[in-house]
Amino acid sequence: MTTPFPFTAVVGQDDLRLALLLNAVSPAVGGVLVRGEKGTAKSTAVRALSALLPEVPVVPGCRFSCDPASPDPGCPDGPHEAGGGAERPARMVELPVGASEDRLVGALDIERALSEGVKAFEPGLLADAHRGILYVDEVNLLHDHLVDLLLDAAAMGASYVEREGVSVRHAARFLLVGTMNPEEGELRPQLLDRFGLTVEVAASREPDQRVEVVKRRLAYDDDPAAFAARWAEEEAAVRARIVAARELLPSVRLGDGALRQIAATCAAFEVDGMRADIVMARTATALAAWAGRTDVLAEDVRQAALLALPHRRRRNPFDAPGLDEDKLDETLEEFGGSDDDDPDPDPGPDGPGGGGGGQPEPDDAPQGDGDTAARPEAGEGGQPQPSGAGEQSAARASEPFRTKVLSVPGIGEGAAGRRSRARTEHGRTTGARRPRGALTKLHLAATVQAAAPHQRARGRSGPGLVVRRDDLRQATREGREGNLVLFVVDASGSMAARQRMSAVKGAVLSLLLDAYQRRDKVGLVTFRGTGADVALPPTSSVDAAATRLETLPTGGRTPLAAGLLRAHDVLRVERLRDPARRPLVVLVTDGRATGGPEPVALAGRAARLFAADGVASVVVDCESGPVRLGLAGQLAGELGGTAVTLDELRADSIAGLVKDVQRRAA
């Protein structure tokens, strides 16, 4: 067995270590979400935590880790008699991003269930994680159907497996710990709220601390056992402190003054629901126990807010997490009691994992949009401008709105999502087929129909159906897939009028929000001046696309053909990387093309490349004014797609619904 890196040997990352230790003291806190850039010891710290947890008493031979003091009456391996048991180390179970549903919740032996009528159940990862840690690395990349199962288990403390009339239930209470890199996309709000605490981690910029990180890592890699032995005393001390804090926890008093501060803080930051109040109360209580106190102080409430609220105050996917600490201090002072009169309390306890302090304010938030100088606007005709003269400062996006559904026609087989029709592992059953590889979804009626004619020849004598492998039928299901939504945005002089570009950015931002909700990948190509740029290669991070959009300048000619050709190249490369994911091109333009010989004809030839490849497309027509040329509509015809105006893009528009972006047979 590999020797884990010692928890106490992790350099820095005080907030991360404190959040993990608080969950070790009080699992009711609800887990930890660790957000941060790659290479910041996120996974190392989480894996090291399991070695610090006290041993767990279990019923011998129970695959579901029942507590011998109060065994689960519905345990599939039960019933168990209350009494003596055995102890084993606490488990940390890792859920791979690509795990199947059967691996997560368990699987039934379908052949035995049909032929013998017995519930032959093989436990999954949720059963293994019961009374331990369930760790999901890159949790933001987890498939939606697995997220749904995690939400159900976390909410009910149990896992239910329902397969063709056969039902199994077992307890599944675990500490959920997830790590993620925000650059790769955000979490669904439902799962985000299930994590009790969140911490932001980043690599230290102090040379001495970075040197110490490298030294310890190299020493560990050279001899893991010897390195762990050097930290054994510190590990034992933290383990003993966890046990002591657990014993003290029931005696900690959460006074009315602290409760009032908690409620006032949650109200001041306008968090949804009451879960934040409950998590803050449990976290503050655990902080007091970790510090060896029986009373919750204002400093505990402050630290609890810094850990429990940042991820709950996000009003939309593009809001940066974090808290205004000045506002937090004002709220605590206004509603403070006699617990703590120190205006500048120590934000965390001393010792390993303590002294975490407040989380820093995010420094990557947009610092304005530069929309201040009254520079000359480019003409609608996109006339040639001297170098740099036609460029405008970035316009602020207008308020986003709910858009109509844009989908790719036909039926795909891409990654699960919420946009276009697809054959998926989840959804409504549409038919049956012979399984290719392992059977995952049994079609019971088709299986019985296939086995029934052979019962006499197989010598059936009892009530059970004689089923063989050749009789099994896989259910084919139809659900929804996520697509690659590639935005091709005209940033030329003809789009540079401030009010129009603000509306265009608002529309693209609205479509980005829609892509986030439908679990799409997104990419961004812009064209202006003399060429086109890939502002954002295809990614799952909608946040990154919104950031690039915010700083998008405008001005110059309209190289429409160059933009289309660059988008075509992006799709060609992405088709090699992810051939199952179908693309949807959203071209945002007024349809004008300038620069070079025959720019309109060249743009038409480039558009016909998309039509020849069968790429679904929609043109968002940004032309304004009393006289319109209809160039965007003509371009949509060349693309083989459809055109919608900015007004028609709104879901509450009285115009006809936009369901499919192409009017051709699948």
Side-chain angles (χ1 to χ4, degrees):
M1 181 177 179
T2 304
T3 303
F5 192 91
F7 186 85
T8 51
V10 175
V11 178
Q13 307 297 9
D14 293 334
D15 284 345
L16 169 58
R17 294 192 293 158
L18 178 60
L20 292 172
L21 289 169
L22 292 177
N23 276 272
V25 171
S26 176
V29 166
V32 185
L33 174 64
V34 188
R35 297 165 47 93
E37 58 196 26
K38 54 187 176 293
T40 50
K42 300 188 299 291
S43 301
T44 298
V46 174
R47 292 188 175 99
L49 176 67
S50 60
L52 296 177
L53 298 180
E55 291 191 334
V56 178
V58 295
V59 173
C62 178
R63 298 175 297 166
F64 301 88
S65 302
C66 280
D67 186 349
S70 56
D72 181 7
C75 176
D77 283 356
H80 305 299
E81 294 184 2
E87 289 192 344
R88 62 160 175 78
R91 290 176 181 164
M92 190 196 74
V93 177
E94 295 194 40
L95 173 60
V97 169
S100 66
E101 179 182 345
D102 288 343
R103 185 71 188 99
L104 178 62
V105 301
L108 294 169
D109 188 330
I110 298 298
E111 294 186 48
R112 289 192 63 190
L114 287 174
S115 60
E116 302 176 28
V118 298
K119 297 179 182 179
F121 181 69
E122 183 66 28
L125 296 177
L126 289 179
D128 293 341
H130 179 47
R131 304 175 67 203
I133 301 172
L134 181 62
Y135 171 52
V136 189
D137 195 13
E138 304 294 354
V139 64
N140 50 325
L141 303 182
L142 201 63
H143 289 301
D144 274 3
H145 67 282
L146 297 182
V147 170
D148 293 335
L149 293 170
L150 277 180
L151 289 174
D152 290 342
M156 297 183 293
S159 175
Y160 293 84
V161 184
E162 305 285 346
R163 297 289 171 85
E164 310 298 343
V166 182
S167 176
V168 173
R169 173 221 167 265
H170 64 83
R173 292 183 297 275
F174 46 82
L175 171 60
L176 182 61
V177 180
T179 60
M180 60 175 284
N181 185 346
E183 294 179 356
E184 297 173 340
E186 282 292 346
L187 275 177
R188 284 172 51 184
Q190 296 93 330
L191 183 57
L192 194 63
D193 190 51
R194 290 293 178 186
F195 287 98
L197 310 179
T198 185
V199 291
E200 296 278 339
V201 296
S204 172
R205 298 299 183 257
E206 293 292 331
D208 291 342
Q209 195 171 73
R210 295 175 74 97
V211 167
E212 186 61 26
V213 170
V214 174
K215 284 183 177 179
R216 294 187 186 183
R217 186 68 213 190
L218 293 177
Y220 171 78
D221 291 340
D222 289 342
D223 192 342
F227 183 81
R230 290 201 296 271
W231 291 88
E233 185 175 344
E234 288 83 352
E235 294 280 286
V238 174
R239 191 178 298 109
R241 188 174 175 183
I242 291 174
V243 173
R246 283 188 173 187
E247 294 174 351
L248 182 63
L249 188 65
S251 303
V252 175
R253 186 181 69 88
L254 184 64
D256 290 343
L259 279 172
R260 185 171 178 80
Q261 285 185 317
I262 290 171
T265 301
C266 292
F269 286 99
E270 300 180 350
V271 296
D272 295 330
M274 294 297 298
R275 183 174 283 118
D277 302 63
I278 296 171
V279 171
M280 272 191 66
R282 289 172 174 167
T283 305
T285 303
L287 279 163
W290 178 248
R293 291 185 268 101
T294 56
D295 288 310
V296 174
L297 305 181
E299 64 189 59
D300 300 323
V301 176
R302 185 181 193 276
Q303 183 66 60
L306 293 171
L307 293 173
L309 297 187
H311 60 304
R312 292 187 165 89
R313 61 156 293 276
R314 289 168 61 97
R315 312 312 298 176
N316 67 64
F318 306 137
D319 287 341
L323 292 183
D324 183 341
E325 294 193 37
D326 292 336
K327 181 178 179 180
L328 173 61
D329 291 335
E330 291 173 4
T331 303
L332 293 176
E333 183 177 354
E334 179 181 356
F335 293 91
S338 58
D339 290 327
D340 186 12
D341 296 326
D342 184 358
D344 186 20
D346 183 4
D350 295 331
Q359 292 186 3
E361 287 292 314
D363 57 6
D364 57 350
Q367 302 297 316
D369 62 355
D371 190 7
T372 56
R375 300 182 182 179
E377 302 292 344
E380 281 291 311
Q383 295 299 318
Q385 301 287 339
S387 177
E391 182 168 326
Q392 308 296 316
S393 57
R396 181 185 296 276
S398 62
E399 285 296 316
F401 51 84
R402 188 166 63 90
T403 65
K404 287 187 169 115
V405 179
L406 304 177
S407 61
V408 179
I411 301 179
E413 295 183 346
R418 298 181 177 181
R419 183 171 297 279
S420 305
R421 295 173 57 198
R423 286 181 286 270
T424 64
E425 289 294 321
H426 303 271
R428 62 186 182 89
T429 301
T430 58
R433 59 173 174 80
R434 291 182 181 272
R436 295 191 291 267
L439 178 72
T440 56
K441 297 289 182 182
L442 178 75
H443 194 295
L444 182 59
T447 298
V448 172
Q449 187 176 10
H454 308 290
Q455 296 306 295
R456 180 175 296 179
R458 293 174 182 174
R460 172 182 170 183
S461 58
L465 191 68
V466 180
V467 179
R468 295 180 179 173
R469 174 69 186 177
D470 291 342
D471 301 327
L472 299 179
R473 294 295 182 269
Q474 173 83 27
T476 57
R477 302 193 174 194
E478 182 177 310
R480 293 281 170 177
E481 68 177 358
N483 297 112
L484 166 60
V485 182
L486 182 62
F487 294 93
V488 185
V489 180
D490 183 349
S492 64
S494 64
M495 301 283 290
R498 182 76 59 195
Q499 190 173 8
R500 183 198 291 191
M501 200 61 200
S502 178
V504 167
K505 285 189 174 183
V508 177
L509 185 64
S510 303
L511 290 167
L512 283 171
L513 281 167
D514 183 66
Y516 166 81
Q517 294 165 351
R518 298 185 187 281
R519 316 305 288 173
D520 295 316
K521 291 180 70 174
V522 297
L524 179 62
V525 173
T526 64
F527 56 94
R528 56 183 289 273
T530 59
D533 296 313
V534 181
L536 182 71
T539 176
S540 297
S541 177
V542 179
D543 282 9
T547 301
R548 304 293 172 85
L549 180 70
E550 184 74 19
T551 57
L552 178 65
T554 57
R557 294 179 180 272
T558 310
L560 179 56
L564 291 172
L565 291 174
R566 180 60 63 91
H568 190 267
D569 287 342
V570 170
L571 293 184
R572 176 179 55 80
V573 174
E574 192 64 20
R575 194 176 294 117
L576 297 175
R577 294 175 177 170
D578 191 357
R581 189 180 291 267
R582 296 188 295 165
L584 170 63
V585 173
V586 178
L587 175 61
V588 184
T589 182
D590 57 7
R592 304 187 183 194
T594 60
E598 299 184 347
V600 175
L602 186 60
R605 288 197 294 272
R608 287 191 288 274
L609 292 175
F610 291 86
D613 290 342
V615 176
S617 59
V618 59
V619 178
V620 180
D621 185 357
C622 302
E623 191 175 24
S624 61
V627 179
R628 303 193 180 193
L629 302 178
L631 297 175
Q634 298 176 22
L635 184 61
E638 299 279 6
L639 286 165
T642 188
V644 294
T645 65
L646 288 174
D647 290 336
E648 292 171 342
L649 191 62
R650 294 178 178 270
D652 54 0
S653 170
I654 61 174
L657 292 177
V658 183
K659 290 189 176 180
D660 287 329
V661 300
Q662 289 179 304
R663 302 299 184 187
R664 62 173 183 263

